[in-house]
Amino acid sequence: MPVPKSEFDSLPPCDFYTPKELFETDQMYTVYEIARLLQGLEADVNIDRETEDILLDWAIPWIMTNADDLVVAEPRHDDEPGYYGLKE
């Protein structure tokens, strides 16, 4: 159900990192690592599954929105996700 804006103390702009701000140019990242980076966490930090699921809700649309600036690599093994990196 919608909530009036007046119920919130602060309404900062909805700004997200650009791929260039988030990624190292010579690295590839999984969607899980991207989810952590978008929240200001280290890519390899250990988080619980429930939190990770919430963070993925932010990461997947971010990847889709920034697809023109990204390259993708297929998983190296059947049990790992694909990888994303900066398009050069």
Side-chain angles (χ1 to χ4, degrees):
M1 172 168 256
V3 177
K5 288 181 179 178
S6 61
E7 290 191 20
F8 300 93
D9 294 331
S10 175
L11 297 170
C14 187
D15 293 330
F16 291 98
Y17 293 103
T18 66
K20 287 183 180 180
E21 293 172 323
L22 200 65
F23 294 162
E24 296 293 327
T25 57
D26 62 342
Q27 300 293 309
M28 297 291 284
Y29 302 86
T30 67
V31 67
Y32 304 102
E33 293 164 337
I34 295 168
R36 289 172 178 83
L37 291 172
L38 285 169
Q39 296 300 315
L41 302 171
E42 294 294 324
D44 61 352
V45 72
N46 202 8
I47 57 176
D48 64 82
R49 180 64 186 179
E50 188 173 298
T51 300
E52 187 168 66
D53 288 345
I54 293 168
L55 298 184
L56 286 174
D57 287 344
W58 289 85
I60 294 168
W62 183 90
I63 290 169
M64 294 172 64
T65 299
N66 291 286
D68 290 342
D69 298 324
L70 303 175
V71 294
V72 64
E74 294 293 322
R76 295 170 298 172
H77 308 285
D78 289 340
D79 63 342
E80 73 177 10
Y83 287 84
Y84 302 87
L86 286 175
K87 185 184 288 183
E88 295 188 38

